[in-house]
């Protein structure tokens, strides 16, 4: 059976939670010591219920950490400037298509305008045993789940560890409101807004974003920051289409402070390029605009294959997107001003 660790989201005030922790911690330590030996599964549920506040404290107050950098090998970037559109055909995209796809940019300036995420499915129904969940109802994009399974299985095989836990996936607007309010009560409004986006402006609405932590088989919570053997994830996540979305050196661009635990799925070729160029996602979306469908295409070659990428500006209601007639391709809106075509060669 897939392991699911349930976290109960208490609606009590932060003051009540702090009082609960102070008053119960002494007795809880004794009780938990006994339960370690007797009833480990039950203990895990109880610990996670109490540690919800500790998770927030740890994740949103410790900023100075060092994460392992991506391990890049045999990556080549090139350009094609002689474009022959004779074998291409036209696909019509409507305005709402601009808002969907794995390359939509969602930040404080661009809200998520899709209501139900991108092809959401239950993670628990598709996951393997290489990682854990805080909630069996968690949802993510289907392709993202498949790549997450591949990454976590290889991580387990490489390190022997299977204690990564997904603490957050897709969120509704109402759920994002709750998350923000919790942080405001804990940190105050000004600092809370550095850590949590306003409702409608969170990547978690897309179904392509996830938060991760560490939860050992012994029931110990460890804040994830890409440390020690866990650095494998930061070094290799691009091979599976993931990027670490927010880093301290890009804070001036993203508007979000360093979050080692927040990962975004963008697809394999794009994750490779972002890692190679040391871009944040905002920089990458802007970078691609120079590769117009009729003038210049970007070519990326890596161990996963060869890809061709270009940009098509959006028109008002309907946009003609030129695509190859006999090659496999995908089209994603960027949620700003156009469409990104990715061809698998």
């Amino acid at each position: 059976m897939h392991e699911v660790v349930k976290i109960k989201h208490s609606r009590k005030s932060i003051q009540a939670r702090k009082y609960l922790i102070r008053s119960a911690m002494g007795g809880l330590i004794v009780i938990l010591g006994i339960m370690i030996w007797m009833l480990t599964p039950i203990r895990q549920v109880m610990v996670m219920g109490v540690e919800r506040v500790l998770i927030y404290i740890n994740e949103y107050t410790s900023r100075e950490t060092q994460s392992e950098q991506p391990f890049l090998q045999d990556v080549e970037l090139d350009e094609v400037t002689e474009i022959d559109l004779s074998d291409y055909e036209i696909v019509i995209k409507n305005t709402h298509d601009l808002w969907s796809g794995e390359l939509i940019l969602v930040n404080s300036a661009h809200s998520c305008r899709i209501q139900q995420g991108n092809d959401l499915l239950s993670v628990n129904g598709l996951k393997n045993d290489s990682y854990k969940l805080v909630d069996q109802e968690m949802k993510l994009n289907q392709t993202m789940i498949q790549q997450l399974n591949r990454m976590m299985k290889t991580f387990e095989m490489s390190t022997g560890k299977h204690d990564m836990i997904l603490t957050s996936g897709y969120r509704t607007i109402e759920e994002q409101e709750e998350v923000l309010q919790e942080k405001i009560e804990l940190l105050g409004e000004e600092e809370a807004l550095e850590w949590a986006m306003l409702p409608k402006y969170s990547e978690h609405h897309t179904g392509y974003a996830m938060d991760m932590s560490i939860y050992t088989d012994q029931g110990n919570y460890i804040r994830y920051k890409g440390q020690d053997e866990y650095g494998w994830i930061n070094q290799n996540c691009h091979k599976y289409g993931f990027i670490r979305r927010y880093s301290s050196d890009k804070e001036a661009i993203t508007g979000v402070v360093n979050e080692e635990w927040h990962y975004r799925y963008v697809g394999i070729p794009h994750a490779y390029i972002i890692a190679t160029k040391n871009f944040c996602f905002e920089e990458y979306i802007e970078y691609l605009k120079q590769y117009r469908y009729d003038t210049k295409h970007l070519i990326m070659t890596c161990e996963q294959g060869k890809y061709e990428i270009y940009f098509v500006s959006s028109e008002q209601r309907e946009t003609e997107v030129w695509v190859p007639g006999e090659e496999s391709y995908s089209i994603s809106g960027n949620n700003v001003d156009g469409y990104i075509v990715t061809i698998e060669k």
Side-chain angles (χ1 to χ4, degrees):
M1 294 177 62
H2 299 315
E3 183 167 4
V4 178
V5 180
K6 296 288 289 184
I7 291 181
K8 295 184 178 179
H9 296 261
S10 175
R11 296 183 180 275
K12 295 180 179 180
S13 67
I14 295 299
Q15 289 77 13
R17 296 183 188 179
K18 290 181 179 179
Y19 175 78
L20 172 64
I21 292 175
R22 288 197 300 268
S23 62
M25 191 57 68
L28 182 61
I29 292 174
V30 176
I31 295 173
L32 292 180
I34 298 173
M35 296 180 72
I36 289 174
W37 178 67
M38 296 181 62
L39 298 170
T40 298
I42 295 177
R43 172 184 172 272
Q44 289 179 351
V45 173
M46 293 184 65
V47 170
M48 291 301 288
V50 173
E51 284 190 342
R52 182 64 177 175
V53 176
L54 301 183
I55 288 174
Y56 284 135
I57 292 174
N58 286 336
E59 287 188 348
Y60 301 107
T61 57
S62 179
R63 300 187 182 187
E64 298 300 325
T65 57
Q66 295 181 350
S67 300
E68 295 290 341
Q69 297 301 308
F71 180 69
L72 296 166
Q73 188 177 22
D74 299 327
V75 181
E76 296 182 7
L77 295 178
D78 201 357
E79 297 177 350
V80 174
T81 56
E82 296 182 3
I83 308 300
D84 181 7
L85 297 177
S86 60
D87 293 330
Y88 279 51
E89 57 189 31
I90 293 177
V91 174
I92 302 298
K93 290 293 181 178
N94 298 309
T95 302
H96 66 270
D97 295 316
L98 184 68
W99 309 336
S100 64
E102 60 195 26
L103 293 173
I104 56 174
L105 174 64
V106 175
N107 57 21
S108 60
H110 301 95
S111 65
C112 183
R113 289 177 282 187
I114 51 176
Q115 298 300 313
Q116 297 297 327
N118 288 268
D119 299 325
L120 293 174
L121 289 176
S122 168
V123 181
N124 190 45
L126 296 174
K127 72 180 291 294
N128 56 31
D129 294 325
S130 301
Y131 60 101
K132 306 169 185 177
L133 302 174
V134 299
D135 185 358
Q136 63 183 347
E137 302 299 325
M138 184 182 296
K139 294 181 180 180
L140 287 170
N141 167 265
Q142 180 177 6
T143 302
M144 176 178 172
I145 297 172
Q146 294 169 351
Q147 291 298 96
L148 175 64
N149 285 343
R150 292 183 59 240
M151 180 174 73
M152 289 304 190
K153 176 58 71 175
T154 309
F155 168 71
E156 181 183 27
M157 293 173 61
S158 300
T159 65
K161 295 183 177 297
H162 57 274
D163 49 8
M164 293 302 298
I165 182 168
L166 268 60
T167 59
S168 185
Y170 168 75
R171 291 178 193 158
T172 64
I173 293 175
E174 292 74 20
E175 288 169 339
Q176 184 65 23
E177 289 174 346
E178 292 180 5
V179 168
L180 178 60
Q181 185 59 38
E182 283 184 322
K183 291 175 181 56
I184 290 175
E185 293 176 353
L186 182 66
L187 303 171
E189 183 173 350
E190 182 176 355
E191 187 172 354
L193 289 174
E194 295 181 1
W195 296 105
M197 304 299 289
L198 292 170
K200 297 184 180 180
Y201 293 86
S202 169
E203 281 200 328
H204 285 287
H205 297 321
T206 70
Y208 287 115
M210 64 181 181
D211 293 341
M212 298 193 299
S213 293
I214 303 167
Y215 188 66
T216 68
D217 291 338
Q218 293 73 37
N220 298 318
Y221 169 81
I222 303 172
R223 190 172 75 91
Y224 175 78
K225 55 182 180 179
Q227 67 272 48
D228 304 324
E229 293 174 280
Y230 299 97
W232 184 98
I233 294 176
N234 289 343
Q235 291 176 313
N236 295 276
C237 65
H238 60 280
K239 299 177 182 178
Y240 305 90
F242 293 92
I243 59 171
R244 189 164 75 87
R245 180 66 172 91
Y246 305 115
S247 59
S248 57
D249 61 327
K250 302 294 183 178
E251 181 178 340
I253 301 173
T254 65
V256 179
V257 295
N258 187 40
E259 293 189 358
E260 299 93 344
W261 56 87
H262 183 100
Y263 284 78
R264 166 69 188 268
Y265 181 76
V266 296
I268 288 173
H270 308 287
Y272 264 92
I273 300 170
I274 289 170
T276 301
K277 293 285 190 178
N278 190 31
F279 283 153
C280 64
F281 195 40
E282 282 82 357
E283 291 175 304
Y284 183 61
I285 291 298
E286 193 64 28
Y287 167 77
L288 288 182
K289 293 178 184 180
Q290 66 181 295
Y291 295 102
R292 301 283 172 164
Y293 76 97
D294 56 347
T295 59
K296 182 172 64 172
H297 293 183
L298 176 63
I299 304 295
M300 196 284 289
T301 305
C302 64
E303 59 183 306
Q304 309 282 11
K306 185 175 182 179
Y307 302 85
E308 186 171 342
I309 303 165
Y310 56 89
F311 174 78
V312 179
S313 295
S314 174
E315 303 297 337
Q316 290 186 347
R317 291 191 176 182
E318 292 187 348
T319 301
E320 294 184 348
V321 179
W322 290 78
V323 296
E326 298 182 357
E327 293 181 286
S328 177
Y329 67 88
S330 63
I331 305 174
S332 174
N334 66 5
N335 199 41
V336 182
D337 57 3
Y339 302 91
I340 299 165
V341 179
T342 304
I343 304 171
E344 189 169 354
K345 307 298 284 186

